[in-house]
């Protein structure tokens, strides 16, 4: 964000359950400040508020593990069927084979979220000491309160999306507090707390952030977006009757199923859409209205009209470095590698699904109406690929070309890099696995293009400033369509909002006359593609309770380790290179629908009940 997070950090007592510690970060020149000194000074008070943002997860960081005592990174993309992380120490690789437990989590979502919640509580309990002034007029102080209320809600959401029911902490905890009183609250109460906090924040926040220096602060639309998302989760099968768990007093932490929750979620999503559009938000379109760029540019044209709220990471460029193919100057870390599983799910340009199933040997069952061809090479080149490219990449929808790097693709042929050879991901190809097994390479034969910036240059270094999008309008269209279809069936608005997403991507409308079940399948597919690599897939398959069938399957890529002979590598026309090959045999057990509460927290508070199976 444009907020200054490198200014002084004010003394505060940070609380993680059953432990209390002082975190002295950077000191002011005069030493430590009391809370009274902080909250009677507008500069210090704003800096304290700004520090609450430092706990936001850095979800751009998908490959590396976070250092101790830092904000969480993003283990979720690599733990879904979208991506295989070609970096062995990455924690997602442990998750994917079931090798994790209550003592092994490297992403301290529990501890870091409660630290941030404590900061928000201290701010809200003390900001009334600040008297309005020219530096902090009354309306600005009011907005600051709205920000802190929203952040407290958002950090609670980060907790429940992985752990389910958690203790609700709406005030700072003193040293002599009864920590055993902080028990996990029913998921309905957690959701009600978050939505009520969103309502309170909406009354205090701006309708829309417009000043560049305030980018990264939440506004009314942001709070409505959080409310809509958490209510969508609450209506979904996992929390809505799909889990059985009681605390040690016998209180049930999950409710019985109630279909009415879908209408509540639909109403919230529509309210968010209406508010967003009333203040000028709209689906992003490139100046050229090229469907590929309409989609690709959302993620590097920062703070565009589709985006509600972001975490700004100006010092982090590895989202690009980890997706730069080996053949580019200075590229050594091609680690973000999409799976064949998601490649097969991108539709054709005519809006049809190319593959409808697989034979026992994993050869695809092709939809005869799609025009898809698994074999042979393209006779002509296009803006996307060179002549000779495998037909399996020909005629796909624009979001495929905006999201996936594949063999034969034209990559950075424009200035400043002016590459003149297509991508080559076979062994000993320009971008493929080298002879040395210690070097980095794509394990799947693909690289991630979405989220990267075409202006990035590895050597000599050119690093565009990057942001992570927490909420955008396209998600809300799909949230609304999903909830409304579940509540009322495929009524006109369901078609309208899914088709708006498809039209922006250059695809035809959905076929009329779909059943509720068929529409559900279409919406699930649209979320898979439109929201790919944005953290949603992991949570979607969990809340739908489809993860046990999806995330227990093999992950496939191409035959990136094969050669024609010991001394003869494949070429772009080698059939054997394109054979679907198992990259990883993944493990998913029922207990993996929730993360385990850290064992250290269970030991501190014996009344915290652990999640099922852990």
């Amino acid at each position: 964000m444009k907020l200054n997070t490198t200014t002084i950090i004010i003394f505060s007592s940070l609380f993680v359950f059953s432990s209390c510690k002082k975190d002295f970060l950077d000191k002011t020149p005069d030493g430590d400040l009391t809370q009274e000194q902080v909250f009677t000074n507008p500069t210090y008070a704003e800096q304290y508020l700004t520090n609450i943002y430092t706990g936001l997860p850095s979800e751009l960081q998908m490959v590396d593990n976070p250092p101790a005592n830092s904000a969480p990174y993003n283990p979720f993309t690599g733990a879904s069927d979208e991506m295989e992380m070609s970096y062995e120490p990455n924690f997602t690789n442990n998750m994917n084979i079931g090798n994790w437990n209550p003592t092994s989590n490297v992403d301290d979502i529990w501890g870091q979220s409660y630290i941030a919640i404590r900061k928000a509580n201290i701010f809200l309990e003390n900001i009334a000491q600040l008297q309005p002034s020219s530096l902090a007029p009354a309306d600005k102080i009011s907005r600051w309160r709205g920000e802190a209320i929203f952040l407290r809600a958002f950090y609670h959401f980060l907790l429940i999306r992985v752990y389910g029911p958690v203790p609700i902490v709406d005030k700072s905890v003193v040293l002599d507090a009864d920590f055993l009183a902080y028990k996990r609250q029913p998921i309905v109460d957690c959701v009600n707390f978050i939505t009520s906090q969103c309502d309170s924040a909406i009354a205090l926040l701006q309708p829309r952030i417009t000043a560049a220096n305030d980018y990264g602060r939440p506004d009314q639309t942001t709070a409505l977006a959080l409310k809509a998302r958490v209510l969508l989760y609450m209506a979904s099968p996992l929390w809505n009757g799909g889990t059985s768990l009681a605390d040690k007093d016998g209180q049930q932490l999950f409710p019985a199923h109630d279909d009415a929750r879908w209408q509540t979620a639909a109403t919230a999503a529509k309210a968010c859409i209406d508010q967003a559009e009333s203040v000028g938000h709209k689906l992003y379109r490139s100046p050229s209205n090229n469907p590929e760029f309409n989609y690709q540019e959302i993620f590097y044209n920062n703070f565009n009209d589709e985006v509600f709220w972001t975490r700004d990471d100006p010092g982090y460029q590895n989202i690009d470095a980890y997706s730069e193919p080996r053949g580019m100057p200075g590229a050594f870390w091609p680690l973000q590698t999409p799976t064949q599983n998601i490649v097969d799910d991108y539709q054709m340009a005519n809006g049809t699904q190319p593959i409808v199933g697989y034979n026992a040997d994993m050869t695809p069952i092709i939809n005869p109406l799609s025009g898809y061809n698994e074999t042979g090479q393209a006779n002509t080149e296009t803006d996307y690929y060179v002549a000779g490219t495998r037909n399996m990449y020909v005629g796909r929808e624009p979001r495929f070309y905006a999201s996936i790097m594949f063999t034969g693709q034209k990559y950075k042929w424009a200035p400043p890099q002016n590459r003149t050879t297509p991508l080559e991901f076979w062994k000993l190809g320009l971008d493929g696995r080298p002879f040395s097994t210690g070097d980095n390479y794509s394990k799947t034969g693909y690289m991630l293009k979405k989220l990267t910036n075409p202006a990035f240059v590895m050597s000599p270094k050119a690093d565009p400033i990057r942001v992570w999008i927490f909420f955008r309008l396209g998600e809300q269209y799909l949230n609304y369509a999903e909830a409304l279809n579940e509540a009322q069936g495929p009524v006109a608005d369901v078609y309208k909002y899914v088709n708006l997403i498809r039209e922006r991507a250059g695809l035809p409308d959905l076929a009329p006359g779909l059943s509720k079940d068929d529409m559900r399948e279409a919406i699930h597919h649209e979320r898979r593609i439109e929201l790919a690599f944005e953290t949603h897939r992991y949570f979607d398959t969990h809340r739908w309770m489809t993860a046990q069938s999806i995330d227990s399957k093999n992950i496939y890529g191409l035959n990136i380790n094969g050669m024609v002979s010991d001394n003869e590598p494949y070429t772009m026309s080698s059939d054997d290179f394109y054979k679907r090959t198992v990259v990883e045999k993944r493990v998913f057990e029922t207990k993996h629908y929730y993360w385990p509460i850290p064992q250290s927290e269970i030991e501190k508070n014996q009344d915290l009940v652990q999640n099922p199976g852990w």
Side-chain angles (χ1 to χ4, degrees):
M1 73 183 57
K2 294 278 181 89
L3 305 175
N4 184 356
T5 58
T6 59
T7 53
I8 64 166
I9 310 299
I10 309 302
F11 162 86
S12 67
S13 177
L14 305 180
F15 170 74
V16 182
F17 282 99
S18 296
S19 67
C20 195
K21 60 183 180 180
K22 294 179 179 179
D23 188 10
F24 294 91
L25 300 174
D26 297 333
K27 301 296 193 296
T28 68
D30 296 328
D32 297 332
L33 299 175
T34 66
Q35 286 187 3
E36 181 180 2
Q37 289 173 314
V38 170
F39 290 107
T40 56
N41 181 301
T43 300
Y44 292 165
E46 183 174 22
Q47 289 169 351
Y48 190 100
L49 172 64
T50 297
N51 185 246
I52 302 172
Y53 288 84
T54 62
L56 293 175
S58 183
E59 295 190 356
L60 270 177
Q61 303 200 48
M62 305 177 189
V63 173
D64 296 310
N65 296 323
N69 302 315
S70 78
Y73 287 178
N74 177 3
F76 307 114
T77 301
S80 76
D81 63 346
E82 297 173 332
M83 186 90 83
E84 177 69 19
M85 292 301 177
S86 296
Y87 177 60
E88 290 303 327
N90 186 282
F91 182 64
T92 60
N93 292 320
N94 295 80
M95 294 174 67
N96 290 334
I97 61 173
N99 185 24
W100 58 310
N101 57 59
T103 65
S104 65
N105 291 356
V106 298
D107 276 275
D108 184 19
I109 297 171
W110 183 280
Q112 294 302 312
S113 296
Y114 278 118
I115 286 172
I117 289 167
R118 168 126 178 116
K119 293 178 185 179
N121 285 332
I122 290 173
F123 181 89
L124 291 167
E125 290 163 2
N126 288 277
I127 192 60
Q129 298 180 54
L130 184 63
Q131 297 301 308
S133 66
S134 59
L135 289 177
D139 61 337
K140 176 178 278 192
I141 296 173
S142 180
R143 289 198 301 271
W144 289 351
R145 289 185 62 246
E147 289 178 44
I149 292 169
F150 170 81
L151 289 170
R152 180 168 64 183
F154 187 69
Y155 284 116
H156 276 89
F157 169 71
L158 296 178
L159 287 161
I160 66 172
R161 72 173 182 169
V162 292
Y163 300 111
V166 297
I168 298 170
V169 182
D170 59 358
K171 59 181 179 296
S172 60
V173 181
V174 296
L175 284 170
D176 59 354
D178 178 9
F179 295 121
L180 298 181
Y182 288 89
K183 302 177 182 180
R184 300 179 72 178
Q185 299 302 307
I187 192 67
V188 171
D189 293 352
C190 295
V191 169
N192 288 342
F193 174 74
I194 292 169
T195 58
S196 68
Q197 293 291 284
C198 289
D199 290 338
S200 296
I202 289 165
L204 300 171
L205 294 170
Q206 301 177 73
R208 181 176 180 181
I209 296 295
T210 56
N213 286 341
D214 285 337
Y215 288 153
R217 296 183 188 272
D219 55 21
Q220 291 178 1
T221 307
T222 306
L224 285 165
L226 173 58
K227 181 178 180 178
R229 188 189 292 178
V230 74
L231 287 171
L232 181 73
Y233 282 32
M234 187 65 248
S236 299
L238 183 64
W239 293 355
N240 192 5
T243 305
S244 178
L245 178 66
D247 67 14
K248 293 184 177 180
D249 294 328
Q251 177 180 226
Q252 292 297 318
L253 298 180
F254 289 92
H257 176 80
D258 183 355
D259 262 340
R261 294 191 175 99
W262 285 115
Q263 185 59 56
T264 301
T267 300
K270 188 59 163 60
C272 178
I273 292 168
D274 291 345
Q275 163 66 18
E277 293 179 341
S278 75
V279 295
H281 287 291
K282 56 188 176 182
L283 293 184
Y284 176 85
R285 290 182 184 269
S286 172
S288 66
N289 202 27
N290 179 310
E292 178 192 10
F293 300 146
N294 285 350
Y295 185 66
Q296 185 180 0
E297 291 176 5
I298 297 170
F299 307 101
Y300 66 82
N301 280 351
N302 296 340
F303 314 117
N304 63 73
D305 282 338
E306 180 162 348
V307 174
F308 301 162
W309 189 48
T310 64
R311 172 183 167 130
D312 306 349
D313 281 299
Y316 184 76
Q317 284 80 38
N318 282 349
I319 187 68
D320 293 285
Y322 290 155
S323 285
E324 194 76 342
R326 286 186 60 88
M328 301 303 292
F332 304 109
W333 304 294
L335 302 174
Q336 294 171 160
T337 57
T339 64
Q340 187 69 47
N341 308 53
I342 191 170
V343 166
D344 286 350
D345 274 350
Y346 284 92
Q347 293 184 342
M348 303 299 287
N350 61 15
T352 59
Q353 203 65 35
I355 295 171
V356 295
Y358 299 91
N359 297 305
D361 63 354
M362 279 306 295
T363 55
I365 301 171
I366 295 172
N367 176 4
L369 301 177
S370 68
Y372 177 78
N373 187 353
E374 185 84 3
T375 62
Q377 278 72 45
N379 293 322
T380 58
E381 71 174 67
T382 68
D383 290 341
Y384 301 130
Y385 50 79
V386 300
T389 296
R390 192 75 167 183
N391 279 328
M392 65 194 299
Y393 308 129
V394 172
R396 305 298 288 270
E397 64 158 288
R399 288 177 297 190
F400 170 76
Y401 299 111
S403 302
I404 307 294
M405 300 182 207
F406 56 90
T407 291
Q409 186 179 54
K410 295 178 177 178
Y411 180 72
K412 293 189 176 179
W413 283 34
Q417 299 201 265
N418 298 307
R419 177 167 168 152
T420 58
T421 56
L423 295 177
E424 303 174 351
F425 288 116
W426 60 83
K427 186 174 181 179
L428 301 188
L430 186 61
D431 307 289
R433 177 177 179 173
F435 266 126
S436 172
T437 58
D439 288 335
N440 298 311
Y441 57 92
S442 168
K443 287 186 177 181
T444 63
Y446 300 100
M447 294 293 299
L448 179 65
K449 184 178 181 183
K450 180 178 173 177
L451 306 180
T452 65
N453 191 321
F456 173 81
V457 178
M458 192 75 177
S459 179
K461 207 71 173 288
D463 295 334
I465 291 176
R466 308 311 312 280
V467 304
W468 175 263
I469 299 170
F470 282 124
F471 296 106
R472 64 181 177 97
L473 185 60
E475 179 209 343
Q476 294 300 319
Y477 280 8
L478 294 177
N479 291 353
Y480 177 50
E482 179 184 348
L484 189 63
N485 181 62
E486 297 297 339
Q488 300 181 22
V491 296
D493 255 13
V494 176
Y495 275 95
K496 173 184 175 180
Y497 285 95
V498 176
N499 286 336
L500 284 170
I501 293 290
R502 291 175 63 82
E503 188 275 331
R504 189 261 298 273
L507 289 173
D509 289 351
L510 295 175
L514 295 179
S515 68
K516 180 178 180 177
D517 289 346
D518 288 341
M519 180 60 80
R520 179 186 300 119
E521 183 177 348
I523 292 169
H524 286 194
H525 170 83
E526 204 61 40
R527 290 185 69 93
R528 172 141 169 81
I529 301 303
E530 174 68 20
L531 304 178
F533 312 110
E534 297 178 52
T535 309
H536 292 283
R537 177 66 172 177
Y538 177 91
F539 294 106
D540 280 351
T541 62
H542 282 62
R543 66 183 178 85
W544 295 330
M545 297 193 75
T546 58
Q548 197 157 4
S549 60
I550 291 173
D551 292 340
S552 62
K553 292 180 178 179
N554 291 338
I555 291 299
Y556 287 90
L558 300 178
N559 184 16
I560 55 96
N561 293 312
M563 294 180 67
V564 176
S565 66
D566 289 345
N567 298 311
E568 184 182 355
Y570 291 143
T571 67
M572 198 155 60
S573 61
S574 297
D575 290 344
D576 284 348
F577 170 62
Y578 300 98
K579 288 183 178 178
R580 287 168 179 77
T581 304
V582 175
V583 174
E584 184 175 56
K585 296 180 182 294
R586 292 197 174 175
V587 172
F588 188 93
E589 303 174 36
T590 302
K591 68 180 181 180
H592 294 146
Y593 276 113
Y594 298 99
W595 280 38
I597 295 175
Q599 186 62 30
S600 59
E601 300 302 324
I602 297 291
E603 292 170 356
K604 294 170 187 173
N605 184 348
Q606 298 298 318
D607 282 349
L608 280 179
V609 61
Q610 182 59 276
N611 273 325
W614 293 105

